[in-house]
Amino acid sequence: GEKEEDVADAEDGEGVLDGEGVLEKLPRDRALAIAKEAAPTLVLACNMILEQYVRDECEAASYPLPRARTEQVVSAARRLQTLELVPEVCEHLFRAVSIASHAHAHGKPLAPLTSLPLDSMQMGRTKRRGHLLLLFSPMCRCISSNNPMLRDSLRAMLELVGHELGLASDSSLAMAGGNR
């Protein structure tokens, strides 16, 4: 089943959350627990990095930002691009974000994490790139960046979002247009 596939993924060297293989050395249930706790914090941190970069670039106007600042946002974007979550972590991430959003909007917490129903499409088709769906708005705001490496990563991430949402790729559009 799905659990067996996830265990096989971890045994084949695919991480639960990280791209470095650190969590793969832990027992699967412990790695999953750590990944579930880390995922919302990671998405929030990446959201802040992308949003702040947009503000910094606007404020800097025609002056280039410090190299360390641009390296930070490009590195974060590249890591996001290659990151794949296991479906359980993606589901937990969406529940945590939904609860945090509800609490922020209404000033009170929502039901426990496990009782919140989720629409499977809101997490994407594969349930492995939900972090990109959650970061869609800040990614769109970064499109006008002067940094070509950031724009390249954003393009790739937006293509992944399109795939997760089941949208046609460039090649399928070209083929459809050629059949007229």
Side-chain angles (χ1 to χ4, degrees):
E2 192 173 289
K3 289 225 186 257
E4 292 167 356
E5 181 182 302
D6 292 341
V7 171
D9 287 347
E11 290 170 356
D12 291 342
E14 183 177 300
V16 173
L17 173 71
D18 66 341
E20 301 296 318
V22 175
L23 292 179
E24 293 151 358
K25 294 175 177 73
L26 297 172
R28 186 175 191 294
D29 58 338
R30 185 153 156 77
L32 260 177
I34 292 169
K36 285 178 179 180
E37 289 299 314
T41 304
L42 174 74
V43 169
L44 180 61
C46 289
N47 182 62
M48 290 182 354
I49 289 170
L50 294 172
E51 294 285 1
Q52 189 61 48
Y53 187 79
V54 170
R55 284 191 293 276
D56 291 350
E57 220 178 32
C58 286
E59 289 174 10
S62 60
Y63 299 100
L65 290 174
R67 184 174 156 191
R69 185 73 185 93
T70 57
E71 286 176 358
Q72 178 193 36
V73 74
V74 169
S75 175
R78 287 180 176 164
R79 292 286 180 129
L80 287 169
Q81 180 183 339
T82 59
L83 179 65
E84 287 191 31
L85 306 174
V86 294
E88 293 156 284
V89 173
C90 190
E91 288 174 19
H92 178 84
L93 174 62
F94 270 81
R95 283 191 173 97
V97 168
S98 295
I99 287 171
S101 297
H102 180 83
H104 180 73
H106 302 289
K108 59 183 177 184
L110 198 59
L113 239 59
T114 54
S115 67
L116 185 66
L118 292 174
D119 173 7
S120 63
M121 260 324 276
Q122 81 187 85
M123 292 180 285
R125 291 180 346 167
T126 68
K127 294 185 182 131
R128 292 183 175 272
R129 304 276 189 171
H131 57 290
L132 296 180
L133 299 176
L134 291 170
L135 292 168
F136 182 77
S137 292
M139 288 188 317
C140 288
R141 283 189 280 284
C142 286
I143 287 174
S144 61
S145 172
N146 295 324
N147 187 315
M149 293 181 294
L150 176 59
R151 286 193 315 264
D152 197 43
S153 284
L154 290 167
R155 178 199 48 75
M157 287 189 292
L158 290 171
E159 287 176 356
L160 289 168
V161 167
H163 175 74
E164 286 298 312
L165 296 175
L167 302 175
S169 67
D170 290 326
S171 59
S172 60
L173 285 176
M175 290 175 62
N179 293 336
R180 289 185 180 176

